[in-house]
Amino acid sequence: MLHKTWRRVAIATAGLLALSLTTACSEDPGESKDLSENRAGAMANYGVGDQFKATEALSFSTLYNNHTFYPLKEDWPFWSELTKRTNVKIEPVAVPLSDYEQKRSLLIGAGDAPLIIPKTYHPQENAFVSSGAILPVSDYLDLMPNLKDKIAKWNLKPEIDNLRQSDGKFYLLPGVHEKPTQDYTVLVRTDIMQELNLATPKTWDDLYAVLKAMKAKYPNVYPYSDLFSKPNPTGALLNILGSAHGTQAGWDYQHATWDPAAKKFNYTGASEQYRQMVTFLHKLVAEGLLDPESFTQTDDQARQKLANGKSFVVTGNAQTLVNNHRPDLAKTLPNAKLAKIPLPVGPAGEVNPFPRLENGIMISSKARDSKNFVAMMQFIDWLWYSDAGLEFARWGIEGTTFTKDASGKRTLNPGVDFLGLNPKAPKHLQKDFGFQNGVFAYGGSPDLVRGFFSPEELEFQKVMDARPPRVVPPPAPLTDEEREQVSLWETPLKDFVTQNTLKFALGQRPLTEWDAYVAELKAKNSEQYIDVVNKAYERFQKNNG
């Protein structure tokens, strides 16, 4: 979770959620009926909790997102141990992190995609549905007992339904969480707060007051100087600020937002909630509390400002706190203290905005014709969804990278570091072993997901656990024709919203022109977009009672 949360939303701009028909919840077996020719290597009686092991040596090509922090190594124990346990060898098709989405699209379009395509963020799969390039994975859930079990036990049906297309099927196998585990929040120099006798802010208005006090004491400093300006300006800050205002912004921006009171979807960038968020953002910039360079500067520039005492507040998560900012400050300002504060509460009230589904896996349609198709689906079910597979992908090899006591509590071995738990250890769980790899490790129960968390981080999660989860929007599945139409509107609309959010925030466009901006959005088909979505929602309601 710590290494992927931001990516979950960074590219969720390809369209509205393509959602489900409840009648398909029992999964249409359709094309999946006859698998008698596709069972080579499969286990005959594979069920929940079973160790999957192919009955013959198999290999499956897998698109691999090559992370710069832990570049791919062929000698990682992850590979050899996975083969030892499952009799399966993964053949990674490595693509640099920066080119992953473009390369994936090119490979799928050319018919050259690997069989297994992880690190796909809904609704990215929408682009590949109508061509038939990817498999309707919901047809084959009976081959995945661990995933089916978790959907039932964790009551994930509403979230799963949000993945469905107008044919009632879904085409993405998502990472699944038992509970939301919010990670991104505001990181604050607590030593400065103590110096100024300031309490930990609980709301965004409280944080505004803290920033004002910091500015009064240090007038030459922009208290809040942010990073993550790509691919959306201040994407992380707008993400958490948007959720606090009951809207979607930054990395989380999607064109349609459900209004539970009105029981309809509104165009996000034209909504009253979005206007309130932009107004607050503008206030921070206008009063010198938020560095205007936050929208354009590189991450390294923002890190240096924090490290050199040129700022005191930044958006981040546990990994950036431990791996980046605290080591930076230790070199330049050794007495400085930086900490995560609970996500500030806004007009939308207390909410834990992290979803229980995250990035997932597409399956190339050509996999269906493989004689090893059933074995492949069993293998995916074990690695990504079984308790043992999830533990393996995250923690590694018992006795080598971790130990487990009689109660089941896991402890990272002292010679292995991850998230600064053993900072002087000679080995790193990701870099030297290949575990906690974002291609394979996501989802799970809280004890698994949070097992690496420090007491400080567990206290943060305790506060967030007390907040209700965000409301899951109702289904509004688009037909192929509708999706083709809205796809023509999406990019111009998204670009226009992004540009004007930046202009309003920086004062380059006065807030008095909000109505004019909304009219300009309408001229770019925002109302037609929402009409299509709301008609899809009404159609779903009519057809499914």
Side-chain angles (χ1 to χ4, degrees):
M1 179 272 302
L2 298 175
H3 52 281
K4 57 70 197 154
T5 307
W6 67 273
R7 299 291 306 159
R8 170 184 60 81
V9 290
I11 33 72
T13 59
L16 178 73
L17 302 172
L19 309 173
S20 84
L21 298 175
T22 306
T23 53
C25 67
S26 59
E27 310 315 335
D28 175 11
E31 305 165 19
S32 66
K33 269 289 187 186
D34 184 10
L35 293 168
S36 58
E37 302 298 318
N38 309 95
R39 295 185 175 274
M43 291 176 61
N45 297 296
Y46 172 68
V48 175
D50 290 342
Q51 171 62 54
F52 169 78
K53 190 160 190 176
T55 59
E56 60 184 72
L58 301 176
S59 62
F60 300 122
S61 59
T62 303
L63 196 61
Y64 183 86
N65 188 7
N66 202 2
H67 203 292
T68 53
F69 184 69
Y70 46 95
L72 173 66
K73 293 181 181 179
E74 293 182 1
D75 62 350
W76 274 338
F78 173 85
W79 306 117
S80 56
E81 184 68 19
L82 180 65
T83 300
K84 177 182 175 182
R85 296 189 187 195
T86 66
N87 208 17
V88 170
K89 180 181 179 182
I90 283 180
E91 297 176 348
V93 178
V95 176
L97 175 66
S98 58
D99 297 329
Y100 189 75
E101 291 128 37
Q102 181 180 11
K103 183 66 172 177
R104 180 187 57 207
S105 295
L106 290 173
L107 286 170
I108 294 175
D112 297 328
L115 298 181
I116 303 173
I117 311 170
K119 296 300 287 184
T120 299
Y121 299 81
H122 180 70
Q124 279 185 326
E125 76 276 16
N126 291 0
F128 312 111
V129 170
S130 60
S131 68
I134 59 173
L135 208 63
V137 289
S138 56
D139 281 351
Y140 305 99
L141 284 192
D142 284 343
L143 304 178
M144 308 186 75
N146 288 290
L147 174 56
K148 285 186 69 175
D149 181 60
K150 284 180 169 52
I151 291 172
K153 284 196 310 187
W154 296 349
N155 192 28
L156 287 165
K157 184 183 179 300
E159 286 92 339
I160 293 293
D161 280 349
N162 275 274
L163 301 176
R164 297 183 188 272
Q165 307 292 324
S166 59
D167 60 6
K169 303 179 182 185
F170 59 89
Y171 293 72
L172 182 72
L173 294 169
V176 294
H177 286 265
E178 182 179 359
K179 289 185 177 181
T181 300
Q182 174 67 25
D183 192 12
Y184 274 84
T185 186
V186 181
L187 313 183
V188 181
R189 280 275 302 273
T190 53
D191 58 306
I192 300 295
M193 291 178 58
Q194 290 170 357
E195 174 192 338
L196 301 178
N197 196 29
L198 300 170
T200 301
K202 295 182 179 180
T203 68
W204 283 98
D205 286 340
D206 292 342
L207 181 62
Y208 167 78
V210 165
L211 297 173
K212 288 282 284 186
M214 289 176 169
K215 184 71 174 181
K217 177 68 175 180
Y218 298 96
N220 295 325
V221 166
Y222 286 110
Y224 203 147
S225 188
D226 213 21
L227 30 66
F228 306 122
S229 63
K230 306 296 181 182
N232 304 104
T234 61
L237 171 57
L238 285 173
N239 178 20
I240 60 175
L241 188 60
S243 65
H245 283 79
T247 189
Q248 303 169 108
W251 290 337
D252 199 29
Y253 185 83
Q254 296 198 37
H255 294 277
T257 300
W258 175 247
D259 183 342
K263 294 190 176 182
K264 66 177 183 178
F265 288 91
N266 293 322
Y267 190 77
T268 303
S271 66
E272 174 60 19
Q273 293 87 345
Y274 201 90
R275 185 193 67 79
Q276 291 177 5
M277 180 205 70
V278 169
T279 300
F280 183 84
L281 194 65
H282 169 82
K283 181 169 70 170
L284 295 183
V285 174
E287 297 185 19
L289 308 181
L290 176 65
D291 185 357
E293 293 183 357
S294 297
F295 298 89
T296 54
Q297 67 189 352
T298 66
D299 289 359
D300 284 344
Q301 289 173 321
R303 284 178 62 176
Q304 286 302 310
K305 288 179 181 179
L306 187 67
N308 294 326
K310 302 296 185 183
S311 67
F312 306 134
V313 181
V314 69
T315 310
N317 65 4
Q319 183 162 294
T320 60
L321 174 67
V322 172
N323 289 347
N324 299 344
H325 301 307
R326 280 181 174 165
D328 291 348
L329 287 166
K331 295 175 184 177
T332 56
L333 299 169
N335 294 322
K337 296 179 180 179
L338 188 73
K340 289 176 70 172
I341 64 170
L343 192 61
V345 177
E350 291 194 349
V351 63
N352 189 333
F354 192 84
R356 294 198 297 159
L357 302 187
E358 55 175 306
N359 73 90
I361 305 160
M362 295 187 296
I363 305 297
S364 172
S365 326
K366 61 188 178 185
R368 177 63 179 79
D369 296 327
S370 167
K371 66 179 182 178
N372 305 125
F373 174 67
V374 173
M376 188 188 78
M377 298 302 286
Q378 291 176 345
F379 167 73
I380 291 171
D381 181 66
W382 181 83
L383 179 56
W384 275 277
Y385 299 106
S386 75
D387 292 344
L390 287 165
E391 179 184 76
F392 170 73
R394 286 189 180 274
W395 284 88
I397 306 166
E398 187 172 1
T400 300
T401 58
F402 76 102
T403 57
K404 187 161 37 172
D405 64 20
S407 70
K409 179 178 172 56
R410 305 172 189 87
T411 302
L412 195 64
N413 281 356
V416 182
D417 184 36
F418 180 64
L419 287 178
L421 291 178
N422 298 314
K424 296 182 179 179
K427 299 287 187 178
H428 191 275
L429 189 63
Q430 293 171 311
K431 296 178 181 180
D432 299 301
F433 293 91
F435 298 107
Q436 276 290 345
N437 188 315
V439 177
F440 307 109
Y442 37 84
S445 60
D447 74 294
L448 187 69
V449 173
R450 303 175 185 182
F452 294 97
F453 289 2
S454 65
E456 173 188 22
E457 178 65 18
L458 289 173
E459 188 60 32
F460 172 87
Q461 295 299 334
K462 182 179 179 181
V463 174
M464 297 306 300
D465 282 346
R467 301 181 184 180
R470 68 178 184 180
V471 175
V472 178
L478 304 183
T479 65
D480 288 345
E481 293 77 13
E482 289 169 338
R483 188 177 298 108
E484 183 178 357
Q485 177 61 69
V486 301
S487 68
L488 301 176
W489 300 330
E490 286 170 346
T491 298
L493 282 168
K494 176 63 167 55
D495 289 346
F496 190 74
V497 170
T498 300
Q499 292 163 7
N500 281 274
T501 299
L502 182 59
K503 289 179 181 179
F504 283 128
L506 293 175
Q508 296 171 353
R509 184 170 190 178
L511 291 169
T512 53
E513 292 188 11
W514 179 263
D515 290 344
Y517 153 75
V518 171
E520 291 158 8
L521 277 175
K522 292 178 180 178
K524 294 182 179 294
N525 301 302
S526 64
E527 282 195 331
Q528 289 95 319
Y529 188 106
I530 289 301
D531 284 344
V532 171
V533 173
N534 280 319
K535 286 177 181 176
Y537 160 70
E538 291 164 5
R539 181 174 63 233
F540 168 83
Q541 293 295 314
K542 180 180 179 181
N543 292 339
N544 296 278

